[in-house]
Amino acid sequence: MSEGPRIAVLDYGIGNLRSAEKALQHVGAAARLVSDVASVEAADAVVLPGVGAFGACARALRDSGLDAPARSALDAGVPFFGVCVGFQLLYEGSVESPGAEGLGVFPGTVGALPAGVKHPQMQWNRLDPQGEPEPAPLRGLGERPWVYFVHSFAPPVGEETAATCDYGGPVAALVVRGALWGAQFHPEKSGTTGLALLANFVRLATAVAA
């Protein structure tokens, strides 16, 4: 096991999460899948993955009992990275699953991708930074890096949006608020660019834990 920061990858029964765990280990983190509250509370950083439908993920997170330590980590400013549906769960809800509640860290409702484009977006696409030219997750990744998407829904573009992609119009792809990051794309499926982004997260976790 790496001597790097302890990163808890929340295992709440929503599918195979080994690829995210292994990618984080590859870039120097002591990452492991966790399904108990104590392991989340002891971690230096938290990763919330998600695959499938918003409502199913929201329900599974709640039923697992990991929603409370996830909220506590967010409230405490622990480095936190939501990925794919885990990114969407940072918002209040989703048109995909009316009535299902997200964590509500960011305002707004996750919506469907624009009409006139194929659903889902299942392809490589380029990130277009918003605001600052090189937000923390994208440091060292080059101009408009390519990353891999698989999704039919995305949060609204807001003040927290650090990068968009062009898919029938601007689509929120990355958010940053301090030590909280969220990505609609899959870093673990995005080759060397994705690994470099995860390495940036590991550096953030190391700095905060020091």
Side-chain angles (χ1 to χ4, degrees), residues 34-166:
V34 303
S35 56
D36 63 288
V37 172
S39 294
V40 181
E41 293 175 341
D44 299 313
V46 176
V47 173
L48 174 60
V51 293
F54 181 97
C57 287
R59 182 172 59 253
L61 184 63
R62 183 177 63 251
D63 291 348
S64 72
L66 293 177
D67 60 330
R71 290 178 186 276
S72 295
L74 287 162
D75 290 342
V78 172
F80 194 104
F81 195 1
V83 178
C84 197
V85 180
F87 166 46
Q88 297 177 11
L89 287 173
L90 297 174
Y91 289 79
E92 295 170 309
S94 174
V95 298
E96 181 184 23
S97 306
E101 294 184 1
L103 295 170
V105 180
F106 299 120
T109 300
V110 175
L113 291 174
V117 292
K118 184 178 179 181
H119 291 203
Q121 176 180 204
M122 188 180 298
Q123 63 174 23
W124 291 83
N125 205 338
R126 300 189 77 165
L127 297 179
D128 295 306
Q130 306 296 302
E132 60 180 302
E134 193 178 48
L138 304 184
R139 284 176 188 159
L141 273 61
E143 186 177 353
R144 301 185 66 220
W146 291 91
V147 291
Y148 191 73
F149 291 84
V150 182
H151 68 121
S152 295
F153 300 85
V157 175
E159 292 181 359
E160 72 280 1
T161 305
T164 61
C165 69
D166 181 10

Side-chain angles (χ1 to χ4, degrees), residues 182-206:
Q184 183 58 68
F185 54 91
H186 286 273
E188 77 281 5
K189 296 179 180 179
S190 297
T192 56
T193 295
L195 289 176
L197 187 149
L198 291 175
N200 284 338
F201 185 69
V202 171
R203 278 189 284 273
L204 171 66
T206 301

